[in-house]
């Protein structure tokens, strides 16, 4: 059997460890053969691939990114897209089945293709950890670790200058990274999309921390919006050219909080450093195990399923469980974190 | 209510985050008061303690070690040991209950004391992750991360010199650290106490890696012993004074493997660096949550229980579940790792 | 003798190691006594200080920030400012001399005060490494290391997505951090204030890297401005609210470069993480040595001088050498870096 | 011109950055062509080489080890060794000159070969920083950084258990790594080959630290020997099999110090982790610059010279300056460190 592998969507620490796990187990245990499609669905649709013999995955588990490249191409777009064209391309290349490693959008596409008869299995990928079907996704641990180390650094600057420091971390729809990095670094306020919090409440937390002699530390997920208005000062930040500084929520929050609390406030947006580079040991192990387990999915012909972490075990669940099931931060986890605020 | 906290046994990254979690939740949510006993059971037995107001736990979640100190004192030893004396000491200090943070030995002592009527709850601590009752223990993730980074470094030396590198990691009775760090770093042989492996097999794995052009990498848990003899060369390592070098298993394995394979072989014993220093983000979050949950154990008067991670939730289980239940690496997890060997 | 210490201006990794070096050497070798003024010149002017016995500096060399706090207060401002008032305050506190640890502004103030008769010596501090009088300043190495590690992470994302990645690093007036972090991480373009470079040239470097199969990597100092216009697209970045994203040079460069090259381009502003947190071993050693050497300045009554690194030795130079002597990146160092561009 | 490159002796972080610097500058600026000899002199003597086009050095500056491999082969040994044979081999391969990257032994060999007429230039390599001709050698900074981080970790264990912790670091003949890592981490005793110190003195330092409430921290270079006897307990360490534990100086020092001071004492030998893996930013920049500068040596036909760091500049010095000029830690640098002892 000849199996195609592809990685799709935003990159994530551990993608290469998944690929290594697949290839080593597939070759050693089951005698499978592998090709890697380049740049996600684009490579599948266009039949652009590379052979993946054992030596190609040598030493890659500690490399960030993906050796296959990635893109946000939709498998239904373009003249060669859609199930029939793709099946024809796979047939031509002698590819019997495809393993997709991707997020909700990728898995939704795979779900439709599977229903149309294609042989696809999947490994879920979301650095935001927002998939209900799995306890954790690979990459999340590395992102939390990078954010935690960065916030540890911000804290000493805050304390030396008696400033309020704001760290904006990833999380458009959910606040898992903010929650974990904020708890780990001892934030005095953690602002996440799931929680409606007013600016008055944020200011109160900040002032409360200051009153206890601390340099207030705010961790905000990029997707957070305040309950009510952010306030008139949010747009007032000026860059060094005297023009309004209108960055993300962190940059807009800083002048507003400063105006409300009277405490000098600075924001840092951690950005892309959270998703690249060497994966943590945790993510390498999880990713390797997921990669190995999805080979079983292929051998057992569990088309339309993906692997998932449940406790310490790897389970197989249907693609549909990945769809429309955003795993948000539950109230009791936020309540835990709030205990740290003061 | 006035609650005592103590940390016992070997230090572990996350101990301070547990203490912080306890004190912040206990004070903020339940209005409890805390004291910290110094150096494990010694402080309890001798009534040696420090007050633990909120500001004492400020910023400690990222510190390694334990601000309370630790020891291996047995609570039944000495003229002031045993349940009656300890209860008298607690009464004198006005301490209503004790939270113990410790490993199997500590929890066994706590179990006996609880059966004698003392009000004790616990947080399990074992850097080796060898407790059946909990999915993971805090500190383990940091140890794996440190070991993984160190082994990543050893690998480049091995490859440059075409040497076989051996990394000896912690794990007297179980091989969890070796398993995870070995999988993360791509070891060609992982040797753990749970698995009887002959020296012939180890040599075969090493030679197999070399044949594929790799610098062989062996990760061995300190408690591993070979199936059969280690071999005549194990004692032949000479230090720079011409005397036999008889270190741990890594140091003894090196000359024997070199003699059997003809490949220059060097061992590094990672030792204490695996258990000290800044905890990973994962361990800080887990430790904080365990600390907060054990406060519930106190408030709900669940004496004789400890907190445990089950999936993504914190559960309460009896002390007895911590005893005589060594969590060993199961066969299917070792089989996964073996796929990487070659 | 009783000596005051203060830290002024932006925080910098190594400040605490300087303080430790001063206090340990001063007490142990010369029997001096120390106080720490709080928050830079503010503490001096207002007579706000803390005693600095030996145990206060215990274990601080690895802490970021400054235990004394810092500010940008001008010693000549306010009703208690100026040489006579300050001298009166020092006399009242029994402080015989002051060690200032600060940047060009701080040293300029100290210079004026010294000329008015005050007994002041200094330790130069600039994370930008822009002081002609010293080979390196402490903090610079840590900043380069943090930036290098962050850029290593960005690179894997760029390669996976075939994107151009821009990293904006510190450096308002000089490009030392950009030069070193860019050389270390293999940047295809390094943009620094000292070098007039047109957008055409930047685009050419980026396209040249892409043509050789690389994901282009641009490291830009915050103070860089292009030779000529940045271009019409620089203002076109939109944030997720559809409003123009007008951040620093990195954020403005991204849409312009993308428009010119056709390569998807993303910017990350490293910001404050470059200046906080645990100092590198290099900076701890340098800072400790500078702290010890400035104690000699006090004992030898070298008022009006500061310590400086020259080769591997610590020298004493006049305050005036710190003034109006911006150390810029020389042409031959930039030419070295340009070799890496392609 | 076609130039050979080789790396010889123990591996060192930065070797690949040197190679990258040579190849990029040589190709881009001077139109040279490069080959890499495999495994040091062995590759030169046997004519075993690989082509080094530009893409071969892509992204290697952050990799530890050496892509060329290394060995301790002597160029005068064997039937193909010696200047005439080597020249013949170079002629056959069309190699016009050789750049050697190696330590004192390698440079001594290169010196003899140069005197016999071969065209060789060099880049000094010693992780121990023990070369008089250069202010710093690449790799040293990384080693100090790794050792410092490891010792930071050991410290928290020492403090939690009230133990004396011993860290054995590299340094057979000189104590630079011990000096810098010890100063950075705040050691209470630093033991280096250059300094004759009795066990009584060591015990006194350790007890002095304990008296001030500290967990004593000793950093010892592997090549240190005490002034006088180490003592009767040095051989008494028993491993878990009840056999004498006779490791390096750290392992032997521990039981002796424990017997003398009554303080529980543990040793960790950092070993090979100090020399492998990702180089620090400092080392990548230094190594890149040295690599670029040695290309000038070739173009300017400075045979028999090597590049060296002097202040912030790269200079060219004769091979002979590398020979018999061990750079030891001078007394005044050790006196600085002693200030920290107490």
């Amino acid at each position: 059997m000849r199996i195609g592998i592809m990685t799709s969507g935003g990159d994530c620490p551990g993608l290469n460890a998944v690929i290594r796990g697949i290839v080593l187990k597939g070759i050693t245990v089951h005698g499978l053969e592998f090709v890697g499609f380049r740049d996600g669905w684009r490579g599948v649709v266009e039949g652009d691939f590379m052979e993946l013999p054992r030596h190609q995955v040598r030493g890659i588990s500690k490399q960030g990114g993906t050796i296959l490249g990635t893109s946000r191409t939709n498998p239904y777009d373009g003249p060669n897209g859609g199930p029939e064209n793709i099946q024809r391309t796979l047939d031509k290349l002698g590819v019997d089945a495809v393993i997709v490693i991707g997020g909700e959008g990728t898995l939704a596409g795979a779900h439709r293709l599977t229903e149309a008869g294609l042989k696809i299995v999947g490994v879920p990928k979301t650095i935001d950890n927002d998939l209900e079907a799995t306890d954790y996704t690979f990459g999340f641990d590395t992102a939390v670790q990078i954010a935690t180390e960065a916030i540890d650094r911000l804290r000493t600057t805050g304390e030396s200058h008696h400033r309020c420091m704001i760290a904006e971390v990833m999380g458009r729809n959910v606040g898992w990274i903010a929650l974990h990095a904020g708890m780990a670094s001892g934030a005095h306020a953690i602002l996440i999309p799931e929680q409606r919090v007013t600016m008055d409440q944020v200011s109160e937390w900040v002032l409360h921390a200051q009153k206890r002699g601390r340099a207030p530390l705010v961790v905000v997920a990029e997707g957070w919006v305040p309950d009510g208005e952010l306030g008139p000062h949010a747009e007032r930040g000026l860059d060094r050219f005297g023009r309004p500084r209108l960055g993300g929520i962190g940059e807009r929050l800083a002048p507003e909080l400063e105006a409300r609390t009277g405490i000098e406030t600075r924001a840092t947006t951690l950005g892309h450093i959270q998703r690249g580079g060497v994966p943590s040991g945790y993510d390498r192990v999880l990713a390797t195990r997921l990669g190995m387990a999805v080979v079983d999915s292929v051998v057992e012909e569990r088309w339309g399923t993906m692997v998932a972490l449940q406790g310490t075990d790897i389970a197989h669940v249907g693609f549909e469980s990945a769809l429309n099931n955003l795993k948000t931060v539950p109230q009791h986890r936020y309540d835990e974190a709030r205990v740290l605020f003061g």
Side-chain angles (χ1 to χ4, degrees), chain A:
Chain A
M1 258 176 115
R2 187 168 156 93
I3 312 296
I5 307 176
M6 64 86 134
T7 53
S8 176
D11 70 325
C12 197
L15 282 169
N16 285 324
V18 175
I19 297 168
R20 178 191 68 152
I22 293 170
V23 171
L24 291 189
K25 177 152 182 197
I27 291 176
T28 312
V29 177
H30 299 292
L32 305 177
E33 202 176 301
F34 292 95
V35 299
F37 289 107
R38 290 198 176 88
D39 304 338
W41 290 117
R42 188 195 65 73
V44 180
V45 167
E46 300 180 7
D48 184 8
F49 71 99
M50 58 195 281
E51 299 288 336
L52 280 180
R54 187 188 174 100
H55 72 82
Q56 278 287 357
V57 302
R58 167 178 169 164
I60 67 171
S61 71
K62 66 167 155 292
Q63 286 177 24
T66 161
I67 59 166
L68 300 179
T70 184
S71 73
R72 299 195 188 276
T73 302
N74 185 319
Y76 280 83
D77 285 353
N80 300 312
E84 280 131 63
N85 288 325
I86 291 177
Q87 185 60 60
R88 202 173 308 126
T89 305
L90 296 177
D91 289 345
K92 207 172 61 190
L93 303 175
V95 170
D96 300 293
V98 178
I99 298 172
V100 303
I101 312 169
E104 202 200 336
T106 305
L107 297 170
H111 184 56
R112 277 181 69 190
L113 292 171
T114 308
E115 295 198 318
L118 272 73
K119 296 180 174 174
I120 307 180
V121 292
V123 181
K125 172 207 67 74
T126 149
I127 204 161
D128 289 338
N129 194 37
D130 55 0
L131 214 58
E132 193 61 65
T134 184
D135 282 1
Y136 290 103
T137 42
F138 68 87
F140 170 68
D141 183 70
T142 305
V144 169
Q145 182 62 22
I146 295 170
T148 300
E149 290 177 7
I151 299 170
D152 283 353
R153 292 198 173 274
L154 297 181
R155 170 152 253 170
T156 65
T157 293
E159 284 167 359
S160 300
H161 287 268
H162 316 295
R163 280 181 193 152
C164 172
M165 301 300 279
I166 298 174
E168 181 186 317
V169 301
M170 288 190 302
R172 279 173 198 270
N173 304 308
V174 300
W176 287 106
I177 293 175
L179 182 84
H180 280 230
M183 283 186 82
S185 57
H188 304 104
I190 299 175
L191 308 177
I192 61 176
E194 293 90 333
Q195 291 283 333
R196 305 287 288 173
V197 173
T198 63
M199 282 305 299
D200 282 350
Q201 175 64 81
V202 180
S203 303
E204 196 188 305
W205 284 331
V206 163
L207 287 167
H208 185 57
Q210 189 202 37
K211 211 179 301 171
R212 287 180 294 113
R214 312 299 306 272
L217 175 63
V218 178
V219 175
V220 58
E222 58 182 330
W224 178 75
V225 283
D227 191 9
E229 286 301 302
L230 192 53
H233 302 277
E235 327 277 310
R236 290 214 189 136
L238 296 184
D239 71 6
R240 68 202 163 81
F241 300 98
R243 286 172 314 202
R245 178 186 286 276
L246 296 173
I249 183 65
E251 288 287 356
R252 302 177 66 235
L253 191 53
E256 181 64 28
L257 256 184
E258 184 166 318
R260 284 167 178 260
T261 63
I263 305 169
E264 191 183 25
T265 302
R266 296 289 160 83
T268 297
T269 303
L270 298 184
H272 285 88
I273 61 167
Q274 295 166 88
R275 69 181 322 136
V278 179
S280 68
Y282 181 97
D283 277 335
R284 295 193 216 174
V285 171
L286 174 56
T288 302
R289 294 185 69 201
L290 290 170
M292 289 183 177
V294 83
V295 171
D296 295 337
S297 309
V298 169
V299 173
E300 298 164 9
E301 308 201 337
R302 296 171 177 268
W303 316 123
T305 68
M306 64 181 198
V307 288
L309 179 69
Q310 296 182 350
T312 59
D313 294 323
I314 310 292
H316 300 266
V317 300
F319 277 158
E320 65 285 357
S321 66
L323 314 177
N324 309 316
N325 268 310
L326 196 69
K327 180 171 66 180
T328 53
V329 173
Q331 187 63 40
H332 75 96
R333 291 298 310 277
Y334 192 70
D335 291 342
E336 276 179 359
R338 269 190 73 157
V339 168
L340 304 177
F341 298 179

